[in-house]
Amino acid sequence: DELTTVRVSTIPIIDTAPLQVAITKGFFEEAGLKVDTTPTAGGAVGLPALASGAVQFTFSNSVSIALGASQGLGFKVVAAGSFTADAAPDIAGIVAKPDAGIKTGADLAGKTVAVNTRNNIIWLYAKAWVDATGGSSDDLTYLEVPFPQMLDAVKGDQVDAAFLVDPFLTAGISAGDVAISGWPYSEIQPSLPVGMYAATEQYIAENPETVAAFVEAYNKGVDWANENAGTDEWAEIIASYTRLTPDRLAGLKILPYYKVIDPEALQPTMDLMLKYDLLSSEFSASDLLHDTVLAK
Amino acid sequence: MLKRAAPLAGIGAGIAIPIALLAALEVAVGMGAVNRALVPAPSAVWTELVAIISRGKLWAPLGDTLSLMFTAYICASVLAVIVGVIMGRSRAAYNLLEPLVEVIRPLPKPALLPPLILFLGIGNEMKLVIVGLAVFFPVLINTIQGVRGVDPVLVDMARTFGYGPGRIATRIVLPAALPFIFTGLRISLGLGLILVVVAEMLAGTGGIGYLIVDMQRSFRVTSMYAWLFILAALGFALNFAFEWLERRLLFWSRQQEKGG
Amino acid sequence: MQRGCELTLNSVTKVYSPGTEAEVRALGNITLNVEPGEFLSVVGPSGCGKSTFLQIAAGLIGASGGQVALDGHKVNGPPEGLVYLFQQYTRSLMPWRTVLGNVEFAIEGHRMSRAERRDRCMNFLAMVGLQDFASRYPWQLSGGMQQRVAIARALAAEPRILLLDEPFSSVDALTRSDLHELVLRLWEERGFTAMLVTHDVDEAILLSDRIAVLSHRPSQIVETIPTELPRPRDRIATPELPAFLELRHYLLDQLTKRPAHA
Amino acid sequence: MQRGCELTLNSVTKVYSPGTEAEVRALGNITLNVEPGEFLSVVGPSGCGKSTFLQIAAGLIGASGGQVALDGHKVNGPPEGLVYLFQQYTRSLMPWRTVLGNVEFAIEGHRMSRAERRDRCMNFLAMVGLQDFASRYPWQLSGGMQQRVAIARALAAEPRILLLDEPFSSVDALTRSDLHELVLRLWEERGFTAMLVTHDVDEAILLSDRIAVLSHRPSQIVETIPTELPRPRDRIATPELPAFLELRHYLLDQLTKRPAHA
Amino acid sequence: MTAQTMTEPAPPPAKPRRPLLQSRVSGVLLVLALLVLWDLSARFWVDSTSWPTVTAVLAALFSGSADLFAAFTSTISLMLKGFVLGALLGVAGGIAIGLSPFLRRAFTPLLEFLRPLPVPGIVPPLILLLGIDDAMKITVVAFSTFFPVLINAAQGVRMVDPVLIDMARTFRHSRLRSMWQLTLPAALPYVFSGLRISLALALIVTVVAEMIAGGTGIGYYLMTMQYAMQPDRMYAGVVLLAATGYALNWLLLLAERRLLHWYSPG
Ligand SMILES: Nc1ncnc2c1ncn2[C@@H]1O[C@H](COP(=O)(O)OP(=O)(O)OP(=O)(O)O)[C@@H](O)[C@H]1O
Ligand SMILES: Nc1ncnc2c1ncn2[C@@H]1O[C@H](COP(=O)(O)OP(=O)(O)OP(=O)(O)O)[C@@H](O)[C@H]1O
Ligand SMILES: [Mg+2]
Ligand SMILES: [Mg+2]
C-alpha cells in the first residue's frame, strides 16, 4: 500500500551514515516510509525548517536542539545519531602547529582558537577543555572559521589553534602540518552524544506510528552500519553522499553508532550550556529525549 | 500630465503602509496564525528594541558595523568610479578589463571565502574585501553606462577649449554621468549593508551581523528581529541621507524634469 | 595681439558609415585656404555637409581623405587657439553649471585669478545682454538666451581661430544685429580668423571677406566669392551699398536655383 | 474637412520660480483670440516669453494667472487635435526610432493599417525632402534635416490647431521657402488654425493673417497687425507687393527700435 | 514642393556591430595570465590543501562534468526563474514609482526598510511561508534582483528628457502607449544597467541560497566538495560559475546592443 512520505533535513557528513544506509538498503520502505532528504551544508536551516513543518525530522547537534527546545520550539530527540570516541584518538581534536608547544588550556592564554561556529557544541567543548586543562576559557579569543579553512588559518598563523574534525583532522596530522594538542570530547566526556535526530512534540503526538516506524528503520541502519563498517558496500554508500574520495575514507576513524541516548550522558552538555551562558536556567536532558531514543 | 499629488499624502501613505503591515502581522501572531517562536509579534520586537537601546547595547555593534561599512563603501565606490570612467572612455581599457570584471562579478562571495581566507586571513582585510567587492560592481556598471551616454557635443566642446582627457573626465564626463553614478551608489548602499552583515556572520567578532547570526542560532528570534530592524533602520537612514545629498548634487537633472 | 591662424584644407573628403547601407558621402572634395585673420562664410543647402566640414577643420572628426593644416601643422585633434561654436548650442551647455560657470569654463585652464576670470566672463555675458542671468542655469533660459551664452563662451576664450556653426539661428533681428556688431568689433580688435556657417545671406555678406558656396551632397565648393565691401562694416550703412545688394541678389539666385534636396 | 479650433487667451500671466531669487516674470498680461482657421504669427525679442506663451496655449505648462480655452473648453493639458512643434527639435526626436518611426509616432494611436500609416508618413517625409533618409536614425542627420523630420511629424498628425516654435530656424533659404509653401498649401487645404513663433519678419508676413508683436519681459502684446495681403500667397509674387514691403518696413522698425536686452 | 514619387524606404541600416569577442583579445589574455599566475602559485609558493593547481581544477571540471552539469542545470533554472520574476517586478515597479511622485513617497519607506535585509536573515521567516524548496529560493533570488532593477528603472524614468514627454503628450497618446513607446525605451540604458547588476546578483544569491538550504545546485556542490576535501572540484564549480556569469552577461550585452544601438552613437 501507499508509502508515507517524510522529509528529513540532513548534513552530508559521515555521522549520518545509518540514515543513508537505511535509505539505500530499503529499510524505510519496508517500514512503509518514503524518506526524502534535504541536505543542508551548514545545518543552519534544518531546525527552523523543522519548527515550521517544512521537514519532519532534522539531524542536528545536541546544543542547537536544546537551544531551540529551551526557546519553546518543542523539539524532541527521537533517534540517536553520532557519538564521539570513548578514548583518544577521537574524530575531533584541538590542533596547533607542531612547534607551537600548545598542550593544555593554560598554553592558550591570550591566544586565538578557531571554532567552526560560536555558541555550538564545538565552541562549548573548546571552552570546557581550556578550563579543564588549567587555563581560563575567558582568556582567549574564539574565531569563527569554517572547517575547510582551519588548516590554512593555523598554517598562516591567523589562529594559534583550531578545533578540527575529520577528514580535515586526519589530513592535517598526517601531512605533518599540525599536531594534536588535546581531545576535548574524549578527555571531558567519552562517548558523548553529539548528533541526533529531532522532531517536534506536535508531530510526535499526531503521528506516533510514523515516528516509531522511522526510528525502527533508522535503527536497522545503525545495526547494518556497525556490522559492515569498512566494507566496500559501506564505503560506496558513504562516498555517494559525502563525496569523500576512497583514500580519505580509508584514513577515517570509524566509530560505532548507538540506538539509544543515556540522559546521564547528555546532561553534562546541558550543564556546560548553562555554565557558559547558552542557557539561562537548568535544563534536564531527559526532557529533551523522546521514548524512542531511551533504553527500554 | 502626472498628477502632482500633495507631497504630504505620499509621505502619509509612506508611513501608513509599513505600519499597516506590522499591524496585520501583530494580529496574525496574536491569533496564532504564525508560529510565534519563528516570527515574533512586532510589539515584542519593539519591547526588545527599546531594551537594547535603553541598556546601551546598541552603540558598540553599530559602531563596528558602520566603520566596516563606511571604509569598504567609500574605498570601493571611489575606485569603481575611477575604473568606470576609464573603462567607459577608453575602448582599450574596456577590452582589457571587461572579461576579468565579468568573470569575477557573478562569483558568490562565500565561494570566494577559501582563497580570501588563504591570502588575506580572517581579519578586517578580508571583511573589507568582501564588502568592497559587493559595492564595487554596481557602481562600476552604472558608471560605465553613464559615461557612455555622455553627450558627445559636451565632450567635443571641452576638447575645443583645449581640455585634455583628464580634465574632460573630471569636468564633463563625471558630472554628466552623475545621475547614473548616484543610482549605482544607491544600489551599492543596500548591497554593502547586506554584505557587511554576511561578512560579520562569516568572520565576526562584533557588529550587527554577528549579533543577528548569534541570535538566530540560539533561536532568540525576538532579539534577532530587533537587530534586523536596527539594520533596516540603518539602511533607511543611510538612504535618506543619500537622497538629501543627491538632491543637492543632482538638482540640475531634477529641475529639468519639472519642465518649463 | 596674436595673429589669426591660417587654415588649409586640401582635397578633404568625408564618407559616413562607409561600406554600409547607411553610407553617406558628405564631402566630395574640398580644397580651401583661409588666410590668417580672414573672415570666411560658408553657405549651402541643408544637410550638404557644412557642419561636417567645420568639424573636420576643427579636428573634431577625422576626414576620410585629404589633409587639414593649421598654420602648416597637420590637424588631428582640436588645435590650440581654436574655438568651435556648435550648431546644437543647447547640448553644448553644461546643465550643472550656472550661466557664468559655463562661460568661465572657456578659460579655466588660463592663468588668472578667480576674480579676474569672473570679471572677464561677466563682461562677455554683458556683451550678449545676459548679465542679469549669470547665476541662472542654462535650462532656465530661453533658446535664444542659451545661444547667446554659447556665443559669450566662445568669445571669452579669445581664440586665434573661431569656427561658428549657425550661431545666430535662434535670436531675433535686433539681437542678431547687435551680435553681428559684437563679433565684427572683436574680430577687428583681435584679428582672429573666423569661419561662419550660416543660412542668412545678408549675415554672410555683412561679416565676411569671402563666401564659400557649397553644393549638394557630396558637397563641393561651387565658388568662393570675395565680398569686396569696405571695412569697417556698419550694420545700417553696409547693407545699403549697391555692391552689397548686387552680391545679395547674386547669392540668393545661386542658392535658390538648384533643387533644394538632392 | 474639420474646422480649425478657436483659441482664446484671457489675461494670461506666467512667473517662473515665483518667490525665489530666480523669479522671472515671463508673461505680463496676455489677452488674445485666435479665430478658427486663422494663421497668426508671434514675433518678439529673444527671451521675451514666446515659447512660454505657446506652451501655455498648448496646455503643456500651467499659467500663473488667467484662462486659456480651446473652442470654449478650458485647457489644462494638451487638447485633442493640437500639435506642437518644439523649438528644441533635436531633443523632441526619439533617438531609438528611425526617421520614419519618429514620424509614425504622431499617428500611432489612429485607426489605420500599418501599411497605410507607413505610406502616409513616407508621403510627409517626401514633402520635406527626406524620403531617402526614412530608415536612418535622427543622430545620423544634420541639424536642418532633423528639423524637417519634426515638421513632417507635426504635419502628419493632421492637427486642427498647429503651434510652431521657430520651426524653420535651421534650414537654408531655398528649403525654407519650400517649407513655407508646404505649410501654406496644407493650411489652405485643411483649414487648421496655426500659430507660429518666428524671428523672420518676411516669414511672418508671408504666412500670416495677423502678427502679434510681443514686448520685453514681462511680455505684453504691443499690437496685433493684420497683414491684409491677398490669398493664396505666393513665395515670389507676394513679397513683391507694396503692402508687403510696407508692412515689413514697419515691423522691422518696431522690432529694432527698442533696446534688445531688457 | 512638387508631387513626390513614393519610394520604398530602405531596410534598416546595418548597425555597426563589432563582434563582441573579437575585440577582447587583450582582456582574455589578462584572464589567462592570472590563471597562469594562480597555477604557478599553487605549484611553487602557496602550500595549502585548499589551493589546487589550475590544471587539477580543469581536470576536475571535465572528469566530474556529469555531476557538475546536473548541479548546473538546477542552479540555472532556479536562477532564471528568480531573475525573471524579480526583474519584471523591478521594471514595472520602477516605472510606477518613477512616474508617480505619490507612489514614490508611499513606497520608499517600505522598500528602503526591506532593501538592506540580508538573505540569511530573511530565510527563516520565508521557510515558514514557503517551505524549504524551490519556491523559497526563487523568492529569495527575486527579492535580491528586484532592487537594483527597481532603483535603476525609477531613476531612468525620472531622467527622460521632458521635451520628449511633452512631445508625446501633444500627440495625445494613451498613458500606456507613452509608457511603452517612450518612457521605457528612453529609460532603457538605466534598465539594462540594472539588469546586468541583477543578473550577476541572481547567480550569487541562488548559489548562496543553495549553500544555506541546499540539496541541489552548484551552491550545494561547492559546499560538499569543500567539506569532502576536494578543492579541485570545488574550484571547478567556481570556474563554471564564472564562465556562466560571463556568458549570461554576454547574452544581455547582445540584447543591449540590439536595443540600445542608438545609445552612445560614435
Ligand atoms: N554621425 C553621422 N552619421 C551618419 N551620417 C551623418 C552623421 N552626421 C552627419 N551625417 C550626414 O552627413 C550629411 C551632412 O551633414 P551635416 O551636418 O554636415 O550637414 P549641414 O550642412 O551642417 O546641414 P544643416 O544646414 O542642416 O546643419 C547629412 O546628409 C547627414 O545625414
Ligand atoms: N524652466 C524655466 N525656469 C525658469 N525660467 C524660465 C524657464 N523657462 C523659461 N524661463 C524664462 O522665461 C523667459 C521667457 O522664456 P521663453 O523661452 O518663453 O522665451 P522666448 O521668447 O521663447 O525666447 P527665444 O526667442 O530666445 O526662444 C526667459 O527669461 C527665461 O529665462
Ligand atoms: Mg549643420
Ligand atoms: Mg523660445
Side-chain angles (χ1 to χ4, degrees):
Chain A
D1 58 345
E2 281 285 293
L3 296 178
T4 311
T5 303
V6 294
R7 294 194 62 169
V8 184
S9 167
T10 68
I11 304 176
I13 50 178
I14 192 162
D15 305 37
T16 58
L19 180 80
Q20 299 294 338
V21 166
I23 295 171
T24 317
K25 304 297 292 178
F27 299 154
F28 284 120
E29 272 171 44
E30 286 166 19
L33 294 178
K34 180 174 180 298
V35 169
D36 278 350
T37 58
T38 309
T40 66
V45 296
L47 289 173
L50 183 69
S52 71
V55 301
Q56 283 75 51
F57 301 96
T58 290
F59 176 82
S60 190
N61 67 76
S62 56
V63 171
S64 295
I65 296 172
L67 278 172
S70 74
Q71 295 292 327
L73 285 169
F75 296 155
K76 284 272 189 194
V77 174
V78 295
S82 57
F83 293 78
T84 61
D86 48 8
D90 203 346
I91 46 154
I94 290 196
V95 298
K97 276 189 164 178
D99 53 4
I102 293 174
K103 287 292 160 216
T104 64
D107 299 333
L108 275 173
K111 298 215 153 62
T112 306
V113 62
V115 295
N116 72 324
T117 313
R118 292 178 317 274
N119 299 359
N120 76 342
I121 195 160
I122 292 266
W123 172 85
L124 201 63
Y125 277 82
K127 284 193 144 185
W129 180 80
V130 170
D131 282 336
T133 55
S136 162
S137 61
D138 294 335
D139 268 359
L140 50 151
T141 313
Y142 304 87
L143 251 190
E144 232 176 77
V145 183
F147 287 127
Q149 271 67 58
M150 279 188 186
L151 281 173
D152 287 337
V154 174
K155 281 200 297 189
D157 290 325
Q158 286 140 11
V159 294
D160 299 295
F163 195 161
L164 210 52
V165 299
D166 266 338
F168 307 103
L169 180 65
T170 309
I173 290 175
S174 57
D177 289 334
V178 292
I180 205 79
S181 303
W183 303 101
Y185 287 144
S186 39
E187 282 173 34
I188 291 170
Q189 194 196 348
S191 289
L192 173 71
V194 178
M196 49 203 70
Y197 293 85
T200 59
E201 279 168 347
Q202 190 190 354
Y203 182 77
I204 296 169
E206 288 166 6
N207 305 279
E209 297 87 10
T210 311
V211 173
F214 175 83
V215 176
E216 197 173 320
Y218 171 78
N219 286 345
K220 280 194 197 171
V222 171
D223 290 335
W224 193 95
N226 286 337
E227 283 158 24
N228 297 284
T231 63
D232 287 349
E233 194 181 2
W234 173 88
E236 198 178 309
I237 293 174
I238 305 281
S240 72
Y241 75 94
T242 61
R243 306 319 210 73
L244 287 169
T245 52
D247 52 320
R248 294 265 180 241
L249 264 177
L252 287 185
K253 286 177 280 295
I254 301 165
L255 297 175
Y257 297 96
Y258 301 100
K259 290 185 266 192
V260 296
I261 296 174
D262 182 0
E264 303 276 296
L266 192 56
Q267 190 58 45
T269 306
M270 304 295 119
D271 296 341
L272 283 176
M273 286 174 73
L274 185 65
K275 178 177 175 195
Y276 295 116
D277 288 334
L278 287 186
L279 290 174
S280 48
S281 60
E282 300 244 350
F283 196 87
S284 157
S286 22
D287 288 351
L288 201 60
L289 301 174
H290 184 58
D291 297 346
T292 47
V293 75
L294 293 171
K296 309 237 160 55
Chain B
M1 175 102 169
L2 301 172
K3 264 208 219 90
R4 237 173 264 290
L8 281 181
I11 293 168
I15 297 167
I17 291 173
I19 289 180
L21 288 176
L22 288 177
L25 185 61
E26 181 79 39
V27 171
V29 175
M31 293 192 324
V34 285
N35 189 336
R36 187 188 292 269
L38 286 184
V39 179
S43 56
V45 174
W46 180 254
T47 315
E48 176 71 17
L49 195 66
V50 172
I52 290 172
I53 295 171
S54 62
R55 275 187 252 130
K57 287 190 176 169
L58 174 63
W59 308 114
L62 189 66
D64 280 355
T65 296
L66 278 181
S67 72
L68 172 60
M69 169 75 191
F70 277 125
T71 321
Y73 185 75
I74 290 169
C75 296
S77 34
V78 168
L79 197 67
V81 170
I82 293 172
V83 176
V85 168
I86 293 173
M87 281 178 77
R89 292 289 304 160
S90 148
R91 253 223 105 75
Y94 184 81
N95 287 339
L96 178 68
L97 295 177
E98 194 258 7
L100 186 63
V101 164
E102 293 306 336
V103 158
I104 296 179
R105 200 158 70 84
L107 290 184
K109 307 304 163 278
L112 290 176
L113 201 60
L116 286 180
I117 289 185
L118 181 62
F119 293 110
L120 296 174
I122 333 170
N124 273 325
E125 294 90 347
M126 187 206 68
K127 286 195 261 179
L128 283 176
V129 168
I130 285 192
V131 180
L133 278 173
V135 170
F136 182 78
F137 291 113
V139 180
L140 180 78
I141 298 288
N142 261 26
T143 305
I144 294 176
Q145 189 84 321
V147 167
R148 288 229 181 115
V150 174
D151 195 327
V153 171
L154 275 180
V155 174
D156 281 347
M157 182 274 293
R159 284 172 68 202
T160 70
F161 284 116
Y163 283 66
R167 289 212 299 157
I168 287 180
T170 53
R171 304 292 179 88
I172 300 284
V173 174
L174 204 60
L178 215 53
F180 255 107
I181 295 174
F182 253 84
T183 316
L185 286 171
R186 270 191 68 194
I187 291 172
S188 285
L189 194 69
L191 284 181
L193 266 184
I194 291 178
L195 265 290
V196 165
V197 172
V198 170
E200 286 173 350
M201 286 177 177
L202 291 171
T205 45
I208 296 178
Y210 172 91
L211 285 168
I212 289 175
V213 72
D214 253 20
M215 302 301 161
Q216 191 178 24
R217 283 180 190 150
S218 46
F219 299 96
R220 283 150 67 187
V221 277
T222 312
S223 302
M224 182 191 104
Y225 281 104
W227 284 105
L228 268 179
F229 182 86
I230 289 168
L231 181 76
L234 184 61
F236 183 80
L238 286 178
N239 189 65
F240 194 79
F242 205 82
E243 287 199 336
W244 178 86
L245 192 70
E246 187 174 340
R247 266 200 297 280
R248 231 126 276 248
L249 287 176
L250 290 185
F251 66 94
W252 51 271
S253 67
R254 292 273 181 272
Q255 289 286 334
Q256 283 184 305
E257 169 190 43
K258 257 202 246 164
Chain C
M1 187 182 95
Q2 278 192 299
R3 238 188 68 201
C5 306
E6 181 179 10
L7 177 71
T8 330
L9 293 106
N10 196 350
S11 311
V12 169
T13 60
K14 177 71 187 180
V15 185
Y16 282 106
S17 323
T20 69
E21 279 176 75
E23 176 175 300
V24 175
R25 296 188 54 213
L27 300 186
N29 186 329
I30 304 254
T31 299
L32 182 73
N33 195 54
V34 190
E35 301 291 324
E38 189 182 330
F39 202 124
L40 180 117
S41 288
V42 179
V43 296
S46 172
C48 76
K50 302 178 294 297
S51 300
T52 304
F53 171 56
L54 224 60
Q55 278 173 286
I56 290 176
L60 286 171
I61 55 177
S64 306
Q67 295 86 38
V68 186
L70 201 76
D71 283 340
H73 302 289
K74 190 164 180 293
V75 169
N76 44 17
E80 177 99 53
L82 178 143
V83 164
Y84 191 100
L85 199 145
F86 289 84
Q87 184 174 10
Q88 306 97 320
Y89 56 89
T90 313
R91 285 168 56 196
S92 82
L93 298 178
M94 294 165 282
W96 56 89
R97 285 196 179 213
T98 60
V99 164
L100 179 62
N102 265 282
V103 177
E104 287 184 326
F105 188 79
I107 50 171
E108 260 165 26
H110 301 203
R111 228 174 273 161
M112 59 176 79
S113 74
R114 270 161 174 269
E116 207 177 328
R117 179 185 322 141
R118 201 191 138 91
D119 285 355
R120 175 144 139 210
C121 291
M122 278 305 291
N123 224 345
F124 277 95
L125 271 180
M127 288 182 203
V128 299
L130 289 175
Q131 64 278 34
D132 296 342
F133 286 83
S135 56
R136 300 296 161 80
Y137 287 85
W139 33 269
Q140 296 177 315
L141 265 48
S142 79
M145 291 158 93
Q146 291 177 11
Q147 196 165 36
R148 285 184 270 153
V149 175
I151 294 171
R153 179 170 63 185
L155 296 176
E158 303 203 333
R160 292 179 53 221
I161 174 163
L162 180 62
L163 307 185
L164 304 159
D165 197 350
E166 304 187 26
F168 313 121
S169 60
S170 298
V171 293
D172 63 292
L174 180 56
T175 308
R176 181 182 294 213
S177 180
D178 288 345
L179 292 171
H180 288 163
E181 200 165 80
L182 172 65
V183 169
L184 271 181
R185 177 164 60 81
L186 290 175
W187 176 75
E188 271 154 18
E189 277 174 26
R190 311 236 167 106
F192 56 80
T193 309
M195 198 147 92
L196 168 81
V197 169
T198 180
H199 289 307
D200 182 336
V201 168
D202 299 70
E203 179 173 289
I205 305 172
L206 177 70
L207 300 178
S208 326
D209 295 319
R210 264 195 308 161
I211 299 172
V213 182
L214 290 196
S215 72
H216 276 283
R217 229 176 313 115
S219 58
Q220 308 265 359
I221 296 187
V222 181
E223 54 183 330
T224 46
I225 312 166
T227 57
E228 284 169 354
L229 297 169
R231 301 250 181 208
R233 309 268 168 97
D234 179 82
R235 60 168 151 175
I236 309 290
T238 304
E240 286 170 0
L241 296 173
F244 185 102
L245 290 171
E246 201 180 310
L247 185 53
R248 178 172 192 273
H249 196 93
Y250 174 78
L251 263 174
L252 280 176
D253 261 12
Q254 290 297 309
L255 288 171
T256 50
K257 85 175 172 213
R258 275 179 299 276
H261 316 304
Chain D
M1 190 182 91
Q2 277 193 301
R3 240 188 68 202
C5 305
E6 181 179 8
L7 178 71
T8 330
L9 292 106
N10 196 351
S11 312
V12 169
T13 59
K14 177 72 187 181
V15 185
Y16 282 106
S17 324
T20 69
E21 274 178 80
E23 176 174 300
V24 176
R25 296 188 53 215
L27 300 185
N29 187 328
I30 304 254
T31 298
L32 183 73
N33 195 54
V34 189
E35 301 292 323
E38 189 181 20
F39 202 124
L40 181 118
S41 288
V42 179
V43 296
S46 174
C48 75
K50 302 178 294 298
S51 301
T52 304
F53 171 55
L54 224 60
Q55 279 174 289
I56 290 175
L60 286 170
I61 56 177
S64 306
Q67 294 86 38
V68 186
L70 201 77
D71 282 341
H73 301 291
K74 190 165 180 294
V75 169
N76 45 17
E80 178 97 54
L82 179 143
V83 164
Y84 192 101
L85 199 145
F86 289 84
Q87 185 173 9
Q88 307 97 320
Y89 56 89
T90 315
R91 284 169 58 195
S92 82
L93 298 178
M94 295 168 282
W96 57 89
R97 284 198 180 208
T98 60
V99 164
L100 179 62
N102 266 283
V103 177
E104 285 185 325
F105 187 74
I107 51 171
E108 263 168 18
H110 301 203
R111 228 175 270 160
M112 61 175 77
S113 74
R114 271 162 173 268
E116 208 177 327
R117 180 186 321 141
R118 197 190 141 96
D119 284 355
R120 176 147 138 207
C121 291
M122 277 305 293
N123 224 343
F124 277 95
L125 271 181
M127 288 181 202
V128 299
L130 289 175
Q131 64 277 32
D132 297 342
F133 287 83
S135 55
R136 301 294 161 80
Y137 287 86
W139 36 269
Q140 296 176 315
L141 265 48
S142 80
M145 291 158 94
Q146 290 177 8
Q147 197 165 35
R148 284 183 273 152
V149 175
I151 294 171
R153 180 170 62 187
L155 296 176
E158 303 203 331
R160 293 177 56 221
I161 176 164
L162 179 62
L163 307 185
L164 304 160
D165 198 350
E166 303 188 27
F168 313 120
S169 61
S170 298
V171 293
D172 63 293
L174 180 56
T175 308
R176 181 181 294 213
S177 178
D178 288 344
L179 292 170
H180 289 163
E181 201 165 81
L182 172 66
V183 169
L184 270 181
R185 177 164 62 80
L186 290 175
W187 177 75
E188 271 155 18
E189 277 174 26
R190 312 232 166 108
F192 56 79
T193 308
M195 199 148 92
L196 168 81
V197 168
T198 181
H199 289 307
D200 182 337
V201 168
D202 298 70
E203 180 172 288
I205 304 173
L206 176 70
L207 300 178
S208 326
D209 297 319
R210 267 196 305 163
I211 299 173
V213 182
L214 291 196
S215 71
H216 277 283
R217 233 177 309 115
S219 57
Q220 308 265 357
I221 296 187
V222 181
E223 54 183 330
T224 46
I225 311 167
T227 56
E228 283 166 356
L229 297 170
R231 301 245 181 214
R233 310 266 167 95
D234 180 81
R235 60 168 152 175
I236 310 290
T238 304
E240 288 170 358
L241 296 172
F244 185 105
L245 292 171
E246 202 179 307
L247 185 54
R248 178 173 191 274
H249 196 92
Y250 175 77
L251 265 174
L252 281 175
D253 261 12
Q254 290 296 309
L255 288 170
T256 50
K257 84 173 175 216
R258 275 181 299 276
H261 316 304
Chain E
M1 245 160 270
T2 49
Q4 303 284 345
T5 47
M6 288 293 303
T7 46
E8 272 298 296
K15 286 136 209 158
R17 207 175 287 156
R18 274 176 241 97
L20 265 174
L21 285 173
Q22 187 188 305
S23 55
R24 301 288 152 79
V25 186
S26 61
V28 173
L29 285 180
L30 178 65
V31 172
L32 287 180
L34 289 174
L35 286 179
V36 169
L37 192 68
W38 168 3
D39 196 80
L40 291 178
S41 76
R43 275 173 213 286
F44 301 115
W45 306 306
V46 180
D47 169 32
S48 163
T49 41
S50 64
W51 191 238
T53 60
V54 177
T55 41
V57 171
L58 291 181
L61 186 60
F62 294 110
S63 70
S65 53
D67 264 6
L68 205 50
F69 186 72
F72 173 74
T73 46
S74 130
T75 298
I76 290 292
S77 88
L78 256 188
M79 183 216 110
L80 285 180
K81 285 175 196 152
F83 173 68
V84 170
L85 184 66
L88 284 180
L89 289 175
V91 172
I95 289 180
I97 65 172
L99 284 176
S100 156
F102 174 78
L103 290 181
R104 185 165 66 241
R105 290 197 191 92
F107 283 100
T108 300
L110 181 65
L111 292 171
E112 291 305 331
F113 257 99
L114 293 179
R115 201 151 73 88
L117 293 184
V119 170
I122 59 172
V123 165
L126 279 180
I127 288 179
L128 200 60
L129 284 173
L130 299 166
I132 197 171
D133 296 313
D134 287 1
M136 186 268 287
K137 289 182 210 161
I138 290 171
T139 308
V140 171
V141 174
F143 179 83
S144 318
T145 48
F146 172 71
F147 289 105
V149 180
L150 177 93
I151 292 173
N152 256 14
Q155 178 80 347
V157 167
R158 295 175 77 186
M159 296 300 294
V160 177
D161 193 325
V163 172
L164 276 182
I165 306 258
D166 279 350
M167 184 274 292
R169 284 171 64 205
T170 71
F171 287 119
R172 290 190 54 88
H173 284 315
S174 67
R175 270 181 164 232
L176 204 67
R177 182 184 298 281
S178 295
M179 213 161 77
W180 185 247
Q181 296 290 352
L182 199 126
T183 311
L184 190 64
L188 215 52
Y190 275 91
V191 171
F192 260 107
S193 213
L195 288 177
R196 287 184 54 206
I197 292 169
S198 281
L199 190 68
L201 212 56
L203 197 58
I204 291 175
V205 174
T206 309
V207 170
V208 169
E210 287 166 349
M211 285 177 166
I212 298 174
T216 49
I218 295 202
Y220 179 67
Y221 183 90
L222 291 181
M223 278 308 227
T224 325
M225 288 310 171
Q226 252 194 80
Y227 279 84
M229 295 198 78
Q230 300 205 45
D232 46 348
R233 292 196 175 222
M234 181 217 131
Y235 279 103
V238 172
V239 167
L240 188 65
L241 272 182
T244 308
Y246 189 79
L248 287 171
N249 183 61
W250 186 73
L251 286 178
L252 210 52
L253 278 180
L254 271 189
E256 186 173 319
R257 285 199 161 219
R258 289 203 77 86
L259 292 171
L260 286 186
H261 59 86
W262 52 270
Y263 186 69
S264 168

